[in-house]
Amino acid sequence: MATTLVRPGPTTPGTPAAPAIPGAAAHKAPSLRHLGPNWYASVMGTAIIANAGATLPYQLPGQRVVCQIFWVLAATALAVLLTARAGHWLHHRDQARAHLLDPAVAPFYGCLSMALLAVGGGALIVGKDLIGVPAAVAVDTVLFTAGTAIGLLAAVAVPYLMVVRHKVEAHQATPVWLLPVVAPMVSAALGPLLIPHLPAGQAREAMLLACYAMFGLSLLATLLLLPLIFGRLIVSGPLPLALTPTLFLVLGPLGQSTTAVNSLADMAPQSMPGPYSGAFSAFAVVYGVPVMGFALMWLALAAAMLLRAARDGMGFAMTWWALTFPVGTCVTGAAGLARHTGLTAFSWLAAALFLALLTAWLLAAANTLRGLATGRLLAAPR
């Protein structure tokens, strides 16, 4: 397969190009100038392997150790990227502002929130084996709080920019638009991990209902955007080759919302009176099963479009990381349904999707490392 690299930059027709590099700034950390927020997707894709692998219905010898390794990789990558992105904002503010004003790049700010949340949740799922429960709770508390705050800000700020500053047309709609509004759904899915560590009573109930509120926020916003995305495909045809993997982003809100309702149902008995906790358990199945059915339909459609793009010469781009985290949310969603229904079919589905997730991660990680080694991924966009 030919290798064609696509890097963040003004890619949408009608948007302004990045401002010229000032003479002095051109020599300050030049390798960071084109490091966009889309790089956080690599952290998300690595962390979801740890989180999904540890919650699979089937556990093999050594599987948890492998999950711990992936969590350490994700945490390390997050620390490196946070430092690098801070350098980007420090030395290349003009480019950072250009990213915010570019409708093709701005939605990726939702990835920062989801990377923080995924690594934080992993601290309580597998990281506690390495650093201890008290430290894991502290890490997740910090990362969950920061990730949730950033996610809620992005869910409002990015659509606001799209309305008042970005110049977009209907044919430019892509699944990337979902990234800011799906971030609160990740908070809804991972927030329940902290509930057992909160004082009984008001604190637990408040956390549970806050997660349900974020579930509703994200779900309704997704339902507003999905018709635009699907309508664009029907009317304007397939996405450009490099953007084809982003079709898998639609799986994110579907799988993550299924994960959320099942995780919240698990914690409801510790947080709410009896009648409500039973209703939440029933809702997890009544909601999760049909949504998982739609997710599988979309997965088949996206896979068919991906194969078509591969035959047409699609090369590697950072958009390949869209094949990881969204699929991982379907793994955790299927595992949650397996817990609440007892159906072996959902356990098999979770295992099959996890194998697909591992394959996608290996492809994306290998090509990313190759691109970094050659310097092409951090070069100026063509």
Side-chain angles (χ1 to χ4, degrees), residues 195-196 201-202 204-208 264 267-273 277:
I195 288 179
Q202 289 283 317
R204 293 186 179 184
E205 183 175 351
M207 173 65 90
L208 186 82
L264 289 165
M267 293 297 109
Q270 304 180 32
S271 312
M272 297 287 289
S277 62

Side-chain angles (χ1 to χ4, degrees), residues 246-259:
T246 64
L247 288 171
F248 284 78
L249 292 177
V250 175
L251 298 175
L254 303 176
Q256 199 66 273
S257 63
T258 304
T259 303

Side-chain angles (χ1 to χ4, degrees), residues 63-88:
Q63 183 171 323
R64 191 166 182 85
V65 174
V66 173
C67 292
Q68 293 167 2
I69 293 172
F70 271 96
W71 178 74
V72 171
L73 284 175
T76 303
L78 177 62
V80 171
L81 271 176
L82 287 174
T83 303
R85 286 286 297 162
H88 172 84

